[in-house]
């Protein structure tokens, strides 16, 4: 099901709704990424300090303009003060622009580096990690969480630091300008700011609720439109209209509360701020009348008081973003701290550039991490000679795919020996092992790229002629050249523009191009119609030439030509032999053959020939 909201936006919105971190300590984990760019950090800091310091000098200039310029006693000084104010304004503008550039650059750069670090780490993790971690959660951390961090580094952190400097500087200048009035401001400011912060949190909560209700309407409308024929076929239109009407009214009610709360917040903000300013202004005016303070000093004090209050308000606004980013950083660090269970030993055994293809399993016992109580393989032993084709046959859950998983070293056995050319795979680098293997999986993986790039995936260093030759040998060249742009045709996500047989031939071409000595075929024709299966089977036979081949098959017709068939059940080898030999034995293979080919032995013999 889809809707009008972009998936990335949905992930980001979900990330924003997560629980915030109770402290900002997790943000320390970002320091190694930030300190790589010391000159940018220094430039941002200098710009920030310069902008804050320049802003804090403006009230002093205003004071002297009021006291000396407007009094008429020194009218010529007006030009000087206003020129000084203009110079300060220019400095503020340049410093603010520099600060924005440096912090935005840092935000983008650190986010890119962090995203790359997480992606690189994810690609090293073992399949056991993805058994217990949802793909959507990983994608959310990789995209939405890094976006939240970019917001903080590139914006919120800068705003927080600037307003912290402004608050400290303005508070200090308030105490110098008028200690008595600043004492009064200390009492009044919390009375103004605290209600605004509390009310602001309520408004933000209502805003999130309003967005949720809007998402509900979008989701239901999308679901109805996607399934409109089913809705109409079951005459469910009236019921759906009633439900949608209820969701729309709920959305409106939430939005009305949000608008009302926002209106009250606006009224409260104006009332409290102006009341506080007017109160201080009135008391200051009394001091001006009594001669205890000049008009300019009062103006200076008022401006510093406003700077203080706005700085605190701004800090309260960005604090939530900083907490979100701390939580996001914590989740990203969790991934970066995950150690892959399968990795190269410190001194890996060297594997030849091209192995002969001798495969050996000896008394292998294996339990998947998520199912430790069930043995996927239990005392499993078999051997394959170089160039031999061996089929693994058995019911679902027999352990056939597990053999492939261990051979590619996605997992290590709990006990026993798995070897390739007599090298214990646990003592070898997984990358060296996998370079010796080509695989054609049951569910063909086609990437949203061109046909050419999908085949080249098998060996990125291959030449164009080698790609075309592989496609031709896989019987894919003919249909590829009929596509709108031939080998440059974009296949769409998961290869939706191709038929099942065409996807399989692309996968076979990829395996041919890889030209590895060991070939793994996992139910490579199980999902195809008879005509497509025949074409793909021919392509597979070309691929198997001169290679050690292991075949997993439920459809026994695909393994009749195997040199040897190993029958598995409950993680054990229960029978071995050729198709003809196994038919002569009472057991699982014969029962499977009877189910697929017919009950009579005569039928079986006909199939065999």
């Amino acid at each position: 099901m889809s809707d009008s909201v972009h998936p990335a936006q949905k992930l980001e919105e979900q990330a924003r709704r997560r629980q915030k971190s109770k402290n900002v300590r997790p943000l320390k984990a970002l320091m190694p990424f930030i300190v790589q760019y010391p000159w940018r950090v220094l430039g941002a800091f200098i710009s920030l300090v310069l902008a804050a310091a320049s802003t804090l000098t403006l009230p002093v200039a205003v004071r002297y303009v009021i006291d000396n310029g407007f009094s008429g006693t020194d009218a010529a000084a007006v030009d000087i003060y206003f020129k000084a104010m203009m110079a300060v304004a220019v400095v503020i503008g340049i410093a603010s622009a520099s600060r924005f550039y440096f912090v935005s650059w840092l935000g983008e750069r650190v986010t890119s580096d962090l995203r790359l670090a997480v992606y690189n780490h994810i690609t090293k993790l073992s399949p056991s990690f993805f058994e217990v971690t949802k793909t959507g959660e990983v994608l959310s951390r990789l995209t939405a969480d890094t976006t939240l961090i970019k917001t903080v580094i590139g914006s919120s952190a800068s705003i927080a630091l600037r307003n912290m400097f402004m608050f400290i500087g303005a508070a200090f200048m308030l105490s110098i300008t008028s200690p008595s009035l600043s004492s009064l401001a200390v009492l009044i400011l919390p009375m103004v700011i605290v209600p605004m912060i509390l009310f602001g949190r309520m408004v933000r909560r209502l805003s999130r609720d309003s967005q949720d209700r809007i998402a509900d309407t979008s989701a239901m409308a999308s679901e109805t439109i996607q399934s409109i024929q089913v809705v109409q076929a079951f005459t469910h239109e009236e019921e759906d209209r009633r439900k949608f009407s209820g969701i729309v009214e709920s959305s409106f009610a939430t939005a009305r509360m949000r608008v009302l709360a926002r209106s009250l917040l606006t009224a409260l903000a104006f009332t409290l701020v102006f009341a506080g300013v007017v109160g201080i202004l009135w008391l200051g005016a009394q001091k001006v009348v009594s001669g205890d303070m000049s008009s300019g000093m009062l103006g200076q004090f008022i401006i510093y008081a406003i700077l203080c209050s706005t700085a605190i308000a701004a800090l309260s606004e960005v604090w939530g973003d900083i907490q979100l980013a701390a939580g996001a950083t914590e989740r990203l660090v969790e991934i970066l701290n995950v150690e892959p269970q399968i990795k190269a030993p410190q001194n890996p055994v060297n594997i030849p550039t091209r192995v002969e293809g001798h495969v050996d399993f000896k008394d292998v016992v294996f339990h998947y991490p998520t199912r430790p109580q069930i043995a996927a393989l239990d005392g499993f032993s078999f051997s394959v000679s170089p160039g031999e084709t061996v089929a693994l046959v058995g019911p679902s859950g027999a352990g056939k795919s597990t053999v492939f998983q261990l051979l590619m070293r996605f997992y290590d056995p709990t006990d026993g020996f798995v070897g390739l050319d007599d090298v214990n795979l646990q003592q070898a680098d997984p990358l060296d092992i996998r370079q010796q293997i080509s695989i054609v999986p049951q569910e063909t993986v086609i990437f949203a790229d061109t046909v050419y790039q999908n085949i080249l995936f098998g060996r990125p260093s291959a030449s164009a002629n080698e790609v075309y030759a592989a496609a031709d040998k896989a019987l894919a060249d003919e249909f590829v050249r009929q596509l709108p742009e031939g080998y440059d045709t974009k296949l769409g996500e998961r290869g939706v523009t191709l038929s099942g047989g065409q996807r399989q031939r692309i996968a076979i071409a990829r395996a041919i191009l890889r030209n590895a000595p060991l070939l793994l075929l996992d139910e490579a024709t199980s999902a195809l119609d008879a005509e497509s299966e025949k074409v793909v089977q021919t392509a597979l036979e070309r691929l198997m030439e001169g290679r050690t081949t292991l075949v997993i098959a439920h459809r026994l017709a695909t393994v009749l030509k195997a040199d040897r068939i190993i029958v598995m059940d409950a993680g054990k080898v229960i029978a071995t032999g050729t198709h003809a030999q196994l038919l002569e034995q009472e057991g699982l293979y014969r029962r499977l053959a009877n189910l697929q080919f017919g009950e009579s032995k005569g039928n079986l013999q006909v199939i065999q020939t």
Side-chain angles (χ1 to χ4, degrees):
M1 183 176 67
S2 63
D3 53 43
S4 58
V5 182
H6 193 276
Q9 293 175 316
K10 290 171 67 177
L11 288 173
E12 186 173 346
E13 189 61 31
Q14 291 169 6
R16 287 187 176 277
R17 289 192 177 92
R18 287 178 180 154
Q19 185 176 359
K20 299 176 182 178
S21 178
K22 294 180 179 179
N23 58 69
V24 296
R25 282 197 297 271
L27 292 175
K28 290 181 180 178
L30 298 177
M31 290 308 296
F33 295 92
I34 297 173
V35 296
Q36 296 180 80
Y37 310 102
W39 292 110
R40 295 313 198 289
V41 174
L42 181 63
F45 182 77
I46 292 174
S47 300
L48 192 149
V49 172
L50 187 59
S54 301
T55 303
L56 289 172
T57 62
L58 278 176
V60 177
V62 171
R63 168 188 170 182
Y64 284 108
V65 167
I66 294 173
D67 284 345
N68 300 327
F70 293 162
S71 65
T73 56
D74 189 8
V78 171
D79 292 343
I80 297 175
Y81 295 129
F82 273 100
K83 286 178 181 178
M85 290 174 67
M86 282 299 298
V88 170
V90 170
V91 172
I92 293 173
I94 294 173
S96 298
S98 300
R99 175 191 61 80
F100 176 80
Y101 171 78
F102 284 124
V103 298
S104 297
W105 189 95
L106 280 170
E108 296 290 347
R109 183 69 265 171
V110 169
T111 302
S112 298
D113 290 348
L114 183 60
R115 191 171 285 155
L116 182 61
V118 174
Y119 178 83
N120 289 345
H121 189 70
I122 287 172
T123 58
K124 297 176 184 177
L125 295 179
S126 309
S128 57
F129 170 80
F130 299 97
E131 280 188 24
V132 296
T133 307
K134 295 180 180 178
T135 302
E137 176 65 17
V138 175
L139 290 176
S140 178
R141 297 190 190 197
L142 186 63
T143 55
D145 285 347
T146 50
T147 301
L148 292 179
I149 291 171
K150 180 179 73 174
T151 300
V152 168
I153 297 176
S155 175
S156 299
S158 170
I159 294 172
L161 284 173
R162 182 187 66 191
N163 284 285
M164 194 179 298
F165 289 158
M166 291 292 293
F167 172 74
I168 294 171
F172 177 73
M173 293 303 295
L174 277 176
S175 62
I176 292 178
T177 305
S178 176
S180 58
L181 283 181
S182 59
S183 301
L184 183 62
V186 168
L187 296 175
I188 293 177
L189 278 175
M191 296 171 61
V192 174
I193 293 167
V194 171
M196 290 175 60
I197 292 174
L198 295 176
F199 218 85
R201 288 178 179 173
M202 185 178 72
V203 170
R204 285 196 296 272
R205 186 173 63 253
L206 288 170
S207 294
R208 285 196 298 269
D209 291 342
S210 180
Q211 290 298 319
D212 288 339
R213 300 293 78 74
I214 292 171
D216 290 342
T217 61
S218 177
M220 182 176 177
S222 174
E223 190 174 53
T224 302
I225 293 168
Q226 292 284 331
S227 311
I228 190 64
Q229 290 188 5
V230 176
V231 171
Q232 292 176 347
F234 281 86
T235 61
H236 209 263
E237 299 94 328
E238 190 60 36
E239 178 64 18
D240 281 357
R241 291 182 197 125
R242 184 189 62 77
K243 288 173 63 178
F244 190 76
S245 176
I247 294 174
V248 168
E249 289 302 316
S250 174
S251 175
F252 172 73
T254 305
R256 183 179 60 193
M257 287 297 297
R258 175 181 58 82
V259 171
L260 178 61
R262 189 63 182 264
S263 302
L264 292 175
L265 176 61
T266 302
L268 182 67
F270 273 97
T271 302
L272 291 177
V273 170
F274 275 98
V277 171
V278 169
I280 294 174
L281 187 60
W282 179 77
L283 291 173
Q286 299 298 318
K287 287 182 172 290
V288 172
V289 171
S290 64
D292 295 332
M293 176 184 280
S294 69
S295 300
M297 288 181 67
L298 177 59
Q300 176 180 317
F301 186 88
I302 292 295
I303 295 174
Y304 280 130
I306 292 172
L307 289 176
C308 259
S309 60
T310 53
I312 294 175
L315 284 170
S316 69
E317 286 292 324
V318 300
W319 183 245
D321 288 339
I322 291 174
Q323 287 179 305
L324 277 173
T329 303
E330 204 167 10
R331 287 185 289 273
L332 287 169
V333 170
E334 284 176 3
I335 289 183
L336 290 173
N337 288 338
V338 174
E339 287 289 334
Q341 292 188 356
I342 304 300
K343 53 186 177 182
Q346 286 188 343
N347 298 302
V349 175
N350 290 327
I351 291 181
T353 305
R354 188 174 182 85
V355 299
E356 293 182 5
H358 177 255
V359 176
D360 203 14
F361 279 63
K362 294 179 181 177
D363 299 319
V364 173
V365 177
F366 175 70
H367 302 76
Y368 281 101
T370 54
R371 304 187 295 277
Q373 71 280 6
I374 301 173
L377 294 178
D378 187 7
F380 180 81
S381 297
F382 86 111
S383 182
V384 183
S385 301
E388 188 179 13
T389 297
V390 174
L392 303 178
V393 173
S396 296
K400 304 184 296 297
S401 295
T402 302
V403 173
F404 282 15
Q405 296 282 316
L406 295 180
L407 195 52
M408 298 187 75
R409 211 186 162 206
F410 287 142
Y411 299 92
D412 283 335
T414 310
D415 197 11
F417 172 87
V418 179
L420 181 60
D421 281 14
D422 298 323
V423 173
N424 187 340
L425 297 189
Q426 289 182 260
Q427 299 175 359
D429 189 328
L431 294 179
D432 292 340
I433 298 167
R434 294 163 194 166
Q435 285 174 353
Q436 306 295 328
I437 299 173
S438 293
I439 184 167
V440 180
Q442 179 180 5
E443 296 183 6
T444 305
V445 176
I446 299 294
F447 300 96
D449 207 331
T450 63
V451 175
Y452 184 90
Q453 290 297 327
N454 267 280
I455 298 174
L456 190 67
F457 189 86
R459 182 159 53 91
S461 61
S463 67
N465 287 335
E466 288 175 316
V467 171
Y468 302 144
D472 184 58
K473 195 171 183 180
L475 302 178
D477 183 75
E478 183 179 354
F479 84 80
V480 169
R481 294 194 183 276
Q482 292 176 357
L483 294 174
E485 298 179 51
Y487 283 86
D488 293 326
T489 302
K490 293 273 189 179
L491 295 181
E493 189 173 1
R494 303 184 67 84
V496 294
T497 58
L498 300 178
S499 68
Q502 290 172 334
R503 287 197 294 271
Q504 281 293 60
R505 279 180 275 170
I506 294 293
I508 293 169
R510 184 187 294 161
I512 290 173
L513 186 67
R514 187 164 182 79
N515 193 29
L518 180 57
L519 174 63
L520 307 181
L521 302 178
D522 186 0
E523 298 284 358
T525 62
S526 64
L528 304 180
D529 59 77
E531 186 175 354
S532 297
E533 181 180 5
K534 185 176 181 181
V535 176
V536 170
Q537 192 65 45
T538 302
L540 285 173
E541 289 172 3
R542 294 183 177 185
L543 172 60
M544 294 161 64
E545 292 174 0
R547 291 181 173 83
T548 303
T549 306
L550 287 176
V551 183
I552 291 177
H554 284 297
R555 293 165 64 169
L556 302 185
T558 62
V559 298
L560 300 181
K561 296 181 180 179
D563 298 320
R564 197 154 38 101
I565 298 172
I566 295 176
V567 186
M568 298 177 62
D569 193 19
K572 299 179 179 179
V573 175
I574 60 172
T576 302
T578 64
H579 173 69
Q581 291 169 344
L582 291 171
L583 285 179
E584 297 298 326
Q585 305 174 18
E586 292 288 342
L588 176 60
Y589 187 84
R590 183 163 184 166
R591 290 199 303 274
L592 292 173
N594 284 337
L595 288 171
Q596 293 186 32
F597 299 140
E599 291 293 340
S600 70
K601 187 176 178 181
N603 286 342
L604 294 174
Q605 296 299 336
V606 170
I607 292 294
Q608 179 188 350
T609 58

